[in-house]
Amino acid sequence: MRKTIFILSLLLLAAVSHAATFATGAPSTTNNDDSCDIALLPAATLLLPYFEVEVAAPPATAATTLFTIVNVTQQPQIAHVTLWTDLAYPVLTFNIFLTGYDVQAINLYDVIVRGQIAPLSGTSNATTPGARSLSNTTGNPRFADSAATNCSPSSQGGGVVPALLVTEVRKALTAGMTSSCPNAFVGEVHDVAAGYATIDLVSTCSAHLPSDAAYYGELLYDNVLTGDYQYINPNATTGNYAGGNPLVHIRAIPEGGAAGQIVGTDLPYTFYDRLTPAETRRIDRRQPLPSTFAARFIDGGPTSFQTDFNIWREALTGTSATCLDYERNGPMEVADLVRFDERENPTELVPLPILDPPLPGYGQFRVTSRTNAASYVFPSLSGSGDVGGWMYLSLNNLGSDAYSVAANFDYHANSSSIHGPRQSQNWVTVSMFAEGRYSTLTDATMLANGCTRSPASPLFAVEGSTVPPIGPGPNVVP
């Protein structure tokens, strides 16, 4: 009884002390936008981390990926879409003009196979806005003067991708080759068209790519876009399931201001950091993505459940990359992988040399990929007989030669000290499916955010240091 009373007394004392702290203290920040945490909030950039389309199948049975963009404001907005190969080579860009409160769905089978982006009424300023929407051409003061002309149906090619370009795009996304890079692979070879997509808020319709310096004079910083995506496999023989999830919402911090405006940000680096001009490295102001995740898996059991991990990784190449350089975005190493079964037994990654030719190897992943959780790429199960558990994924790519040695370290905005290697950016989604009837698609759990110092790794360890236990990372750089 005395022990119980003593413990309760301590708890009461702690509660009183805690209340006093809140009464006299203050949080480190009250700015809700001052965060590297990726959340489901309106954003300035949306990321579709992985897509695939069965280009050789008829529409009725072809597996495809759809995504939808939503404008949550009464002002018109312009969304600039870029499709990238799975080795981060940009192959196609197009613009979606959104009237106030507009929504536009895109079927990538239509784009990659049929060469049709979307109906004209949904992709240009010819659309008559609804009663709550502002005028197309004058309703957004942040639009460039060229927007009215550049976003017209004629300037946008009528929403149709030219046949020769469709062929080039399909070749890049399936065979990894293009006419502009005839002697190098800019994508992996696979039966389906595979890659990822970025959707950015911009001030005018243009053909600029995120790898062009001029692109960053067109970016806008209003957090007004939301969106989602779906994987659909209607073929009863190979799939007959579908799954949907929100796009990755990447906010501009701080938000607002004219296109290309250079404003200070507390972000140590940004989503487009490897592609922004050297003299204005953080001009895009987009939140960086994290590198460590916890992902649930089930593989087997009475319903023969299976799990795929869709993994997006930041590329190694920068704006000066040549055609031959993109092959380096293939099997990039990771800091650590650990599989836990349902009895907490771990099996850890044992690093192996990078494979040659550049195919996905043990503990290595290209920029974007879909890999079954039972694959040899991951550590094997412990042998306990469990068919489920979770995976710890520390996907830092161990450094990027897109940066100088000095630039590959985090410099906190309020400190001149070096805090350690800058982590690479990643995203993981978990796809579970069974019996050709059941399917789920969810984001893996982030164990840190993009501003967290790189997780310790044996490859980063310095003399006398130890690798900390697996767990959530600190919220801020110390």
Side-chain angles (χ1 to χ4, degrees):
M1 176 65 72
R2 289 180 180 177
K3 181 177 180 181
T4 303
I5 293 173
F6 178 65
I7 292 174
L8 289 175
S9 298
L10 286 179
L11 289 175
L12 179 60
L13 180 62
V16 172
S17 175
H18 189 60
T21 300
F22 270 87
T24 60
S28 60
T29 178
T30 56
N31 184 353
N32 289 334
D33 283 347
D34 191 14
S35 173
C36 282
D37 291 335
I38 302 299
L40 193 56
L41 294 169
T45 287
L46 304 172
L47 169 68
L48 171 56
Y50 177 77
F51 69 76
E52 63 180 43
V53 176
E54 282 188 322
V55 295
T61 59
T64 186
T65 305
L66 296 80
F67 66 88
T68 301
I69 312 168
V70 179
N71 171 18
V72 297
T73 70
Q74 69 175 162
Q75 295 178 329
Q77 307 290 347
I78 303 168
H80 188 95
V81 181
T82 304
L83 302 187
W84 309 70
T85 70
D86 54 1
L87 296 185
Y89 183 85
V91 293
L92 179 66
T93 189
F94 55 88
N95 304 281
I96 303 295
F97 190 97
L98 300 165
T99 55
Y101 309 120
D102 198 2
V103 57
Q104 179 62 60
I106 301 292
N107 184 338
L108 286 177
Y109 184 92
D110 289 343
V111 177
I112 297 169
V113 179
R114 294 168 165 164
Q116 179 69 54
I117 294 172
L120 288 178
S121 59
T123 57
S124 77
N125 64 28
T127 306
T128 301
R132 289 178 176 264
S133 304
L134 297 181
S135 168
N136 282 355
T137 56
T138 61
N140 191 331
R142 304 205 199 282
F143 279 175
D145 293 340
S146 61
T149 301
N150 290 357
C151 298
S152 66
S154 58
S155 296
Q156 291 301 300
V160 176
V161 184
L164 288 177
L165 181 55
V166 170
T167 300
E168 282 290 293
V169 170
R170 194 159 57 232
K171 183 179 178 182
L173 295 173
T174 56
M177 305 286 286
T178 67
S179 297
S180 57
C181 292
N183 301 313
F185 283 95
V186 297
E188 298 284 5
V189 180
H190 23 60
D191 294 334
V192 299
Y196 69 96
T198 52
I199 302 127
D200 298 312
L201 188 76
V202 294
S203 59
T204 188
C205 296
S206 79
H208 287 136
L209 297 166
S211 54
D212 300 331
Y215 187 65
Y216 297 95
E218 299 170 352
L219 279 185
L220 285 176
Y221 309 101
D222 300 302
N223 294 315
V224 297
L225 301 179
T226 67
D228 54 76
Y229 66 102
Q230 297 81 34
Y231 297 138
I232 298 176
N233 187 339
N235 192 327
T237 302
T238 62
N240 197 31
Y241 58 82
N245 202 43
L247 294 163
V248 186
H249 289 56
I250 304 172
R251 294 172 63 81
I253 297 177
E255 61 183 324
Q261 189 176 44
I262 300 174
V263 174
T265 176
D266 283 340
L267 299 175
Y269 60 100
T270 61
F271 177 72
Y272 279 123
D273 188 57
R274 70 185 181 91
L275 298 174
T276 51
E279 63 276 10
T280 53
R281 287 290 294 272
R282 294 179 289 176
I283 189 175
D284 62 303
R285 296 188 233 159
R286 267 56 172 180
Q287 295 169 297
L289 299 182
S291 66
T292 55
F293 300 84
R296 182 85 167 88
F297 74 88
I298 307 174
D299 190 70
T303 59
S304 298
F305 230 110
Q306 298 182 61
T307 302
D308 286 349
F309 292 146
N310 302 332
I311 298 176
W312 179 91
R313 309 187 68 196
E314 184 179 20
L316 296 175
T317 48
T319 54
S320 61
T322 66
C323 292
L324 291 172
D325 290 332
Y326 285 93
E327 293 187 34
R328 303 197 329 270
N329 294 331
M332 293 182 287
E333 293 181 343
V334 301
D336 199 13
L337 301 176
V338 182
R339 187 194 297 266
F340 292 92
D341 66 16
E342 292 177 339
R343 309 178 203 203
E344 303 87 50
N345 297 306
T347 307
E348 192 161 6
L349 170 73
V350 178
L352 296 175
I354 291 180
L355 299 180
D356 189 17
L359 297 173
Y362 183 48
Q364 301 163 23
F365 305 91
R366 55 186 179 268
V367 168
T368 187
S369 60
R370 178 170 182 159
T371 309
N372 190 266
S375 168
Y376 71 95
V377 174
F378 300 104
S380 61
L381 278 168
S382 64
S384 66
D386 294 349
V387 297
W390 69 283
M391 197 92 71
Y392 169 73
L393 302 151
S394 182
L395 297 174
N396 190 17
N397 66 19
L398 309 184
S400 164
D401 57 11
Y403 318 101
S404 66
V405 173
N408 198 32
F409 286 80
D410 290 338
Y411 289 82
H412 193 271
N414 298 319
S415 172
S416 60
S417 62
I418 297 177
H419 294 292
R422 163 223 194 279
Q423 63 178 315
S424 66
Q425 303 180 73
N426 303 268
W427 197 260
V428 179
T429 56
V430 180
S431 175
M432 293 183 174
F433 49 96
E435 296 185 358
R437 293 187 295 168
Y438 309 114
S439 178
T440 65
L441 185 65
T442 58
D443 291 323
T445 301
M446 295 176 288
L447 294 181
N449 64 34
C451 293
T452 305
R453 184 169 55 181
S454 299
S457 161
L459 296 176
F460 278 147
V462 297
E463 186 175 353
S465 68
T466 58
V467 179
I470 289 173
N475 291 326
V476 295
V477 176

